[in-house]
Amino acid sequence: MSTRSIARCGICVALLACSAWVTVPLGLAPFTMQTFVLALIPQVMGPRESILTVAVYLVLGACGLPVFSGFQGGVGTLLGPTGGYLWGFLLGMAPAVALMRAEALPRRARAAMAGTALLGVSYLFGTVQLMGVYSLSAPVALASGVLPFVVPDVLKVAASISVAESVNRALGAAARD
């Protein structure tokens, strides 16, 4: 892995941490800006770097650094009520990067599908963990842990597509310099 790739991963890990700190309590799970950064990552980085970035973020949080929402960290957060969303970020990155590589589709369509896949996997694992930790039924977990977030998350994915185009233009210009 090149020095440039390591630096970009580090910047994206920092962006994930900062985006987690933008937190609005909303029922059982908080509203954060993480989904914006997560949707952006596979659009501006390669597949390996995208997955590695999220893995490093989770390892830092598991080690106790306050990189999760509400300045939380530790294994307890990963095993707690919202930990399933965090695991879903990592597991959802795989289909997201695969969709970004489907070059038969226009870039914006690939980005929208990648963001949607990432959200879907995160919602799935988050819902399952909410159900397990709080002994909730699926409808209650979905109503409290998914439905309030769908519209804002779709808007964040849409915004990430425009931001990614600017970032990729800037990175392309930097690579030529």
Side-chain angles (χ1 to χ4, degrees), residues 11-26 29-38 41 54 57-58 60-61 65-73 77-78 82 85-86 89 149 153 156:
I11 289 168
C12 287
V13 169
L15 286 172
L16 272 173
C18 291
S19 67
W21 297 338
V22 177
T23 302
V24 177
L26 191 65
F31 171 88
T32 70
M33 290 301 293
Q34 286 173 295
T35 49
F36 169 78
V37 175
L38 286 160
I41 288 171
V54 179
Y57 169 72
L58 293 179
L60 291 174
L65 292 175
V67 296
F68 300 142
S69 67
F71 296 96
Q72 296 180 21
T77 304
L78 291 170
T82 59
Y85 298 102
L86 296 167
F89 294 164
F149 302 95
D153 284 347
K156 288 183 269 184

Side-chain angles (χ1 to χ4, degrees), residues 24-168:
V24 177
L26 191 65
L28 299 177
F31 171 88
T32 70
M33 290 301 293
Q34 286 173 295
T35 49
F36 169 78
V37 175
L38 286 160
L40 183 67
I41 288 171
Q43 296 180 68
V44 299
M45 297 179 67
R48 191 172 106 200
E49 290 83 5
S50 296
I51 293 169
L52 181 63
T53 295
V54 179
V56 167
Y57 169 72
L58 293 179
V59 168
L60 291 174
C63 289
L65 292 175
V67 296
F68 300 142
S69 67
F71 296 96
Q72 296 180 21
V75 174
T77 304
L78 291 170
L79 300 176
T82 59
Y85 298 102
L86 296 167
W87 292 114
F89 294 164
L90 179 61
L91 297 170
M93 195 55 69
V97 298
L99 286 163
M100 285 306 300
R101 294 178 63 104
E103 302 219 357
L105 300 169
R107 196 200 72 75
R108 284 180 160 263
R110 287 182 281 149
M113 291 180 354
T116 302
L118 184 65
L119 289 175
V121 172
S122 179
Y123 288 159
L124 172 66
F125 283 88
T127 300
V128 168
Q129 195 151 329
L130 270 178
M131 290 169 57
V133 170
Y134 286 133
S135 299
L136 301 174
S137 67
V140 172
L142 287 168
S144 60
V146 174
L147 291 180
F149 302 95
V150 171
V151 171
D153 284 347
V154 167
L155 293 173
K156 288 183 269 184
V157 168
S160 78
I161 295 169
S162 295
V163 171
E165 289 174 349
S166 296
V167 169
N168 287 329

